[in-house]
Amino acid sequence: MKAFELVYVVEDDWIASVVTEMLLEQNEAFGTVRKFTNGQSALNALRQATEIPDLILLDLNMPVMDGWEFLEGFSALLLPKRVPVCVLTSSIHPNDIAKSKSYKEVAAYFSKPLDDDTLVQIVRLLG
Amino acid sequence: MTTSFTSFEHDGAVDYLGQELQVLQQSGGTVLDFIWESALDGVWYWDLDEAAHKWGNDNFWRTLGYDPAALPNQTEAWPAVISPDEVAAVQRGIAAGVADGSHTYHQLVQCAHRNGSVVCLHCRGLVVCDGAGRPRRALGVLVDITQRRNAEVYAREVAGHYSAILSNQSVYIVKTDAQGLYTYVNDFFFERFGADSKIIGTPSLLTIVEEDRPKCLAVVGQCFLEPEVPHQVVLRKPCKDHQVRSNHWEFKGLLGADGQVAEILCVGYDVTLLIDQLEQSKRLLTTTTQQNARLQNFAYIISHNIRSHSANLTALVTLMQAAPDAENAALFLQMLKTSTDKLAETIVNLNEIVTADGPVQHLREPRELRREVDRTLEALNVFIYQSGVAVAVDIPAGLTVPVVPAYLDSILLNLLSNAIKYRAADAPRVALGGYREGGYVVLTVGDNGLGIDLARHRDKVFGMYKTFHANADARGLGLFIAKSQVEAMGGRIELESAVGVGSTFKVYFNESV
């Protein structure tokens, strides 16, 4: 039994999402990874999903629907269980960090790049 | 005092006192002596037949600083105390008294004090004639008015001095009555505002710039509430050369005898230069603040964009080092290459942005808007043809804008290519218009294309790296750069848009160079 059976990666940068997926797959705590290139497609998937993810890794700057709008839509969803969101972004803007904390759905804020240490932290925090 | 005194009977009326004094005076010298010595500062008595024969009483000599007892011979002393001119003036006075039949005269006589100072004597004279009516003697009774006269001269000097100060200072001094009508203005005010004395009695409020009048009235109100205390205000007033000057005023309500405010005293000076400089500093501060905010935002965006690539590079290198086989390593190398390419592209974009920022007023040149639009449409000719967009241009010929030519090119290219790129699937149209509005030349670029949901994206439309449609080649830079360029030229850009209906961009080009 893995700590996070299903993980959503919401990230428009193809390389970043592939790298994230690889790292997650190499770590025993994480199971299946589903990638979305913007907030809208992730939100659509959540609305229709039969299987609710155990963790969402969310980028902020994305076209069509960015991370903030995703969080607005996400917090309005009625999900059968609580799904922790970790913001994973290149932004170090203090406003972004402060704004993230204002969402109760956001469990943590991480700066890219994602690495094994960060994954260990996520497991310790949320696993 | 011993004298022959005769008391009069009386019945309560006081006339007897006058009669008594009359008798007393006729009976001896007592009364006259008293008047000579105490009420007068001197008496002289001249022989009109012998010019050198002049006599003055003790008091006269004392008034002029001499000890009468030590004067051996008055005849020798006279020329020292009265000049021939003054003597001649007295003689003219006497002659006039004779001529008009009054035999009296009065005049001011200037004598010389022993210490050299001028003694000013008011002389009332009586011409004494003989039985044949021929003038024989002249009696002069003298009052020393030197002090009073000095005080007058001093007062006149002081008044002149202050009036010169009031007139020559570069301050305005104005007084109005309680109704605000001018009662006094100094020369400097006249000179500066080209007014003349006709201004007295006219309403002071009307000389002030209209927008400032309520402010002026408010301060006058304070003068009534709190009189005798200065109240400050800055008011604008047109000068005689029609330039509007800003003046700093101190208003003070002056109380009349009845304890009510009777006058407003206004002292002011020109602060136009100061105000102008203040405005300039404010503008500079606003620009600097905006620029600073933009720079800081820029720094965060740069950091974000560079960091996102650097994060990928770091992660890829780590993965590559741990790659289980050559095939995997090759895959990572390929990704690494993509990542470095993107980093290079980001840096090229940043260059573009940096050059679009900053004030460029001096580089602006007039350009005919219609011609520039036509040129851009020509450059996009193939793209327009392939996309089937119908373009309509309604910009009056001769409408020119002062622009940085390269910026205008870039703005037109960005807006037009966006309008074509995000066109409607059916019968796509783009319409360009141009007109003047309040110091701006406005360019409108409207389309019936996809539109942007402004309720969601209003604050992001012109942001850096913001894209709103899933379009692979969108960089999210076009509108950001267009906005920076418009603002660098002192203008602004606005957008009206609705999803599925279309977008209209309005670019306001600042006409003032």
Side-chain angles (χ1 to χ4, degrees):
Chain A
M1 175 89 183
K2 293 175 186 295
F4 306 96
E5 288 291 348
L6 178 60
V7 182
Y8 276 15
V9 172
V10 190
E11 166 68 75
D12 65 317
D13 184 309
W14 175 73
I15 291 177
S17 73
V18 168
V19 166
T20 303
E21 183 184 31
M22 284 178 171
L23 282 169
L24 290 172
E25 280 170 350
Q26 284 172 11
N27 192 302
E28 287 182 348
F30 301 89
T32 315
V33 175
R34 279 193 69 186
K35 295 182 296 194
F36 302 91
T37 55
N38 66 62
Q40 188 65 62
S41 52
L43 208 55
N44 290 346
L46 280 169
R47 285 191 182 119
Q48 292 153 12
T50 44
E51 205 184 341
I52 301 303
D54 304 292
L55 176 69
I56 297 173
L57 294 181
L58 179 69
D59 186 22
L60 290 178
N61 289 294
M62 290 176 290
V64 185
M65 182 190 271
D66 66 16
W68 304 120
E69 286 184 289
F70 171 81
L71 284 170
E72 292 295 334
F74 178 73
S75 60
L77 290 179
L78 289 169
L79 296 175
K81 65 177 181 191
R82 190 178 172 275
V83 181
V85 177
C86 286
V87 171
L88 182 62
T89 174
S90 311
S91 169
I92 50 164
H93 199 306
N95 288 0
D96 286 345
I97 299 170
K99 196 173 170 187
S100 297
K101 286 185 180 157
S102 72
Y103 288 92
K104 63 178 192 319
E105 293 80 9
V106 174
Y109 186 103
F110 296 107
S111 277
K112 288 178 190 172
L114 184 68
D115 55 21
D116 286 330
D117 288 348
T118 312
L119 292 181
V120 169
Q121 272 189 62
I122 291 174
V123 173
R124 203 185 307 137
L125 201 68
L126 307 168
Chain B
M1 179 168 115
T2 55
T3 182
S4 53
F5 172 68
T6 314
S7 174
F8 276 54
E9 293 298 317
H10 63 90
D11 55 3
V14 294
D15 293 352
Y16 74 97
L17 286 173
Q19 292 157 3
E20 234 179 69
L21 185 61
Q22 193 82 31
V23 173
L24 189 63
Q25 185 207 319
Q26 283 159 4
S27 69
T30 314
V31 172
L32 202 60
D33 284 349
F34 175 73
I35 292 172
W36 278 25
E37 291 304 319
S38 53
L40 297 173
D41 297 308
V43 171
W44 71 42
Y45 193 60
W46 293 2
D47 186 334
L48 297 180
D49 297 325
E50 293 283 345
H53 291 183
K54 297 184 177 74
W55 176 87
N57 73 344
D58 288 357
N59 233 4
F60 173 73
W61 293 109
R62 275 198 289 272
T63 298
L64 297 179
Y66 295 87
D67 176 5
L71 274 181
N73 184 352
Q74 283 207 10
T75 311
E76 282 167 23
W78 275 95
V81 297
I82 185 161
S83 68
D85 283 353
E86 287 296 307
V87 171
V90 172
Q91 277 161 349
R92 281 196 298 276
I94 292 166
V98 173
D100 70 12
S102 69
H103 291 93
T104 60
Y105 62 92
H106 70 96
Q107 61 189 162
L108 283 182
V109 183
Q110 291 197 340
C111 292
H113 192 274
R114 197 178 176 190
N115 66 13
S117 67
V118 173
V119 177
C120 209
L121 298 172
H122 184 245
C123 169
R124 286 182 181 280
L126 176 69
V127 185
V128 181
C129 299
D130 60 15
R134 193 168 67 85
R136 298 292 303 278
R137 305 282 185 269
L139 173 72
V141 296
L142 307 161
V143 177
D144 182 358
I145 58 160
T146 310
Q147 263 184 0
R148 205 173 79 201
R149 205 176 144 79
N150 284 349
E152 266 174 33
V153 168
Y154 178 69
R156 257 203 307 277
E157 267 171 16
V158 168
H161 176 66
Y162 282 113
S163 130
I165 290 179
L166 295 191
S167 297
N168 295 332
Q169 290 298 305
S170 4
V171 291
Y172 311 118
I173 298 163
V174 169
K175 278 210 284 189
T176 74
D177 60 15
Q179 280 71 49
L181 306 178
Y182 283 115
T183 55
Y184 169 84
V185 311
N186 71 341
D187 290 351
F188 185 66
F189 184 92
F190 277 141
E191 187 193 313
R192 180 59 72 89
F193 296 105
D196 56 33
S197 54
K198 282 197 213 103
I199 201 175
I200 302 299
T202 65
S204 54
L205 194 63
L206 298 184
T207 65
I208 296 164
V209 168
E210 198 164 347
E211 303 97 85
D212 287 359
R213 289 178 196 170
K215 204 160 67 163
C216 176
L217 286 175
V219 179
V220 169
Q222 287 181 345
C223 291
F224 279 90
L225 286 176
E226 237 187 310
E228 304 289 346
V229 177
H231 301 276
Q232 271 117 17
V233 65
V234 173
L235 299 171
R236 286 167 299 163
K237 196 193 281 287
C239 228
K240 66 177 169 195
D241 59 3
H242 303 297
Q243 264 193 331
V244 172
R245 313 291 302 183
S246 294
N247 303 307
H248 179 273
W249 290 97
E250 219 171 75
F251 286 11
K252 202 194 269 187
L254 303 180
L255 297 179
D258 58 356
Q260 300 292 312
V261 171
E263 283 186 308
I264 309 284
L265 171 68
C266 317
V267 179
Y269 53 93
D270 198 314
V271 290
T272 310
L273 203 64
L274 210 69
I275 300 258
D276 284 355
Q277 278 169 351
L278 206 66
E279 290 294 317
Q280 214 176 340
S281 312
K282 263 192 215 157
R283 272 200 299 273
L284 204 63
L285 193 66
T286 312
T287 314
T288 314
T289 310
Q290 282 170 353
Q291 245 165 14
N292 202 30
R294 228 170 32 216
L295 278 176
Q296 196 172 34
N297 196 35
F298 183 67
Y300 281 122
I301 292 167
I302 302 299
S303 125
H304 170 266
N305 296 331
I306 307 267
R307 279 175 65 89
S308 61
H309 297 303
S310 117
N312 283 348
L313 295 174
T314 309
L316 285 169
V317 170
T318 312
L319 285 171
M320 223 173 133
Q321 282 172 333
D325 50 46
E327 197 185 331
N328 254 304
L331 175 67
F332 292 138
L333 189 63
Q334 183 53 47
M335 286 166 78
L336 209 53
K337 173 148 187 2
T338 309
S339 217
T340 51
D341 286 351
K342 280 190 171 177
L343 179 59
E345 191 189 315
T346 299
I347 287 165
V348 169
N349 290 344
L350 292 182
N351 252 339
E352 224 175 298
I353 292 158
V354 170
T355 47
D357 217 21
V360 286
Q361 302 303 334
H362 56 288
L363 300 170
R364 288 161 75 192
E365 293 167 20
R367 280 286 185 277
E368 196 182 341
L369 195 56
R370 173 70 196 243
R371 238 193 64 200
E372 298 303 312
V373 166
D374 288 346
R375 271 185 38 195
T376 310
L377 288 172
E378 220 176 279
L380 290 169
N381 207 357
V382 175
F383 187 25
I384 292 171
Y385 177 75
Q386 286 173 343
S387 58
V389 173
V391 180
V393 182
D394 180 20
I395 299 172
L399 189 63
T400 55
V401 276
V403 289
V404 178
Y407 286 8
L408 180 61
D409 286 352
S410 149
I411 292 163
L412 287 171
L413 196 65
N414 264 316
L415 295 182
L416 279 169
S417 56
N418 271 353
I420 298 163
K421 226 184 283 175
Y422 304 109
R423 65 185 174 271
D426 241 14
R429 290 189 310 273
V430 173
L432 292 118
Y435 54 91
R436 280 207 158 79
E437 187 186 289
Y440 293 91
V441 168
V442 188
L443 165 75
T444 61
V445 181
D447 64 55
N448 63 338
L450 304 181
I452 295 172
D453 182 352
L454 289 181
R456 268 177 64 188
H457 300 304
R458 181 173 292 283
D459 52 346
K460 285 182 281 187
V461 172
F462 298 102
M464 200 189 287
Y465 291 102
K466 300 294 180 191
T467 54
F468 303 93
H469 305 285
N471 184 331
D473 65 345
R475 292 188 301 164
L477 277 185
L479 291 181
F480 175 81
I481 292 176
K483 183 173 191 275
S484 299
Q485 288 170 332
V486 170
E487 286 175 356
M489 295 187 292
R492 63 177 197 276
I493 186 164
E494 290 174 1
L495 168 65
E496 290 161 17
S497 190
V499 174
V501 177
S503 306
T504 300
F505 286 90
K506 285 187 181 177
V507 185
Y508 290 77
F509 293 102
N510 197 332
E511 279 202 278
S512 59
V513 181

